[in-house]
Amino acid sequence: MTTPVPAGHGANQARQDGGPAEAVTAVYVYQAPVRIWHWINAAAIVVLAVTGYFIGSPIATRPGEASANFMMGYIRFAHFSAAYIFTIGMLGRVYWAFVGNKHARELFHVPIFTRAYWSDLASMLRWYGFISKRPNRYTGHNPLARFAMFFIFVLSSFFMILTGFALYSEGAQAGSWEDHLFGWVIPLFGQPQDVHTWHHLGMWVIIVFVILHVYAAIREDIMGRQSVVSTIVSGYRTLKD
């Protein structure tokens, strides 16, 4: 169901110069829990990426007493704290996919077995490839965004949670809950260093995804037929012609 934009926000209103107005309609898409999760998750990813980089490439040893130099300890603490926030947020997001509106489920469901989905996906690829002049309008995620969100972001996120807690279980030692739940991951990859390498590569996958995600959102706001950036702030998607 669509909800007209309130007066003063441009819904079928005449321009001041007397010309025809642009038809604008607002649709409530993202509920508050989804929007809150999005921004907390984004902050956690930034902290994880920055601290993870320094954990993989530590800073040079600083002179002086060891008790006065705990820089890497602080970096690791920030990384672990952000990892817990990221993990709890993902679990909460899975829960909200069951109890939220239909748009809350799009992150985890891609209708790849329908012909219409692939047709719409091809249309969006032409739009992002600067071949089409106008994109189709979607109240939720467009088909290309749904594909990227699930097969790149969601799967990579759960991969990072598994490998991250597997590495964390080494410090927690045998018998800890981390070891019971994630200790099997290290033997699966062969050795801890292999897990470190794959975890590090996973970080770059998510970084590249974030860059493309931000680019696509801003591009759609400027060139598309609907709002994107403001939608994840207010919850309302503005559809315009």
Side-chain angles (χ1 to χ4, degrees):
M1 179 180 295
T2 59
T3 304
V5 178
H9 290 267
N12 297 320
Q13 295 183 29
R15 295 204 313 253
Q16 291 183 357
D17 60 2
E22 184 179 60
V24 179
T25 302
V27 183
Y28 189 59
V29 177
Y30 300 126
Q31 297 166 297
V34 173
R35 304 198 306 274
I36 294 171
W37 166 80
H38 176 275
W39 294 112
I40 293 177
N41 194 58
I45 288 175
V46 171
V47 174
L48 286 167
V50 173
T51 56
Y53 175 82
F54 284 112
I55 291 173
S57 303
I59 58 178
T61 302
R62 299 176 62 185
E65 291 292 332
S67 59
N69 295 281
F70 197 62
M71 180 61 71
M72 287 305 302
Y74 291 130
I75 291 175
R76 284 167 58 85
F77 176 77
H79 190 79
F80 298 152
S81 299
Y84 272 103
I85 293 172
F86 181 81
T87 302
I88 294 171
M90 285 301 297
L91 293 177
R93 185 64 181 83
V94 171
Y95 166 76
W96 197 256
F98 289 97
V99 301
N101 62 16
K102 65 178 183 179
H103 301 293
R105 293 186 285 274
E106 292 178 343
L107 186 66
F108 303 98
H109 174 251
V110 184
I112 59 175
F113 298 108
T114 62
R115 180 178 297 181
Y117 170 78
W118 291 106
S119 176
D120 289 342
L121 179 65
S123 175
M124 289 307 300
L125 285 173
R126 290 192 296 270
W127 163 244
Y128 282 112
F130 296 96
I131 298 174
S132 299
K133 294 182 178 180
R134 289 167 62 86
N136 294 331
R137 298 193 307 180
Y138 303 94
T139 53
H141 291 301
N142 68 61
L144 183 59
R146 291 180 70 169
F147 188 92
M149 286 285 187
F150 179 77
F151 289 105
I152 299 179
F153 174 72
V154 172
L155 295 186
S156 295
S157 295
F158 284 117
F159 175 82
M160 295 298 283
I161 290 171
L162 284 176
T163 55
F165 274 98
L167 295 170
Y168 188 76
S169 70
E170 289 191 298
Q173 300 184 357
S176 63
W177 70 266
E178 294 92 345
D179 179 61
H180 284 301
L181 291 179
F182 304 99
W184 57 272
V185 175
I186 294 178
L188 183 66
F189 281 84
Q191 60 178 334
Q193 186 55 49
D194 293 329
V195 182
H196 273 283
T197 300
W198 283 104
H199 191 71
H200 193 75
L201 289 173
M203 176 193 73
W204 286 108
V205 170
I206 292 181
I207 288 175
V208 171
F209 168 82
V210 169
I211 293 173
L212 294 176
H213 175 64
V214 172
Y215 160 76
I218 296 176
R219 179 186 187 273
E220 198 66 18
D221 255 357
I222 297 172
M223 301 177 60
R225 302 168 65 193
Q226 58 269 317
S227 64
V228 176
V229 177
S230 61
T231 302
I232 202 62
V233 176
S234 67
Y236 284 90
R237 169 144 294 148
T238 302
L239 306 174
K240 49 192 175 181
D241 280 310

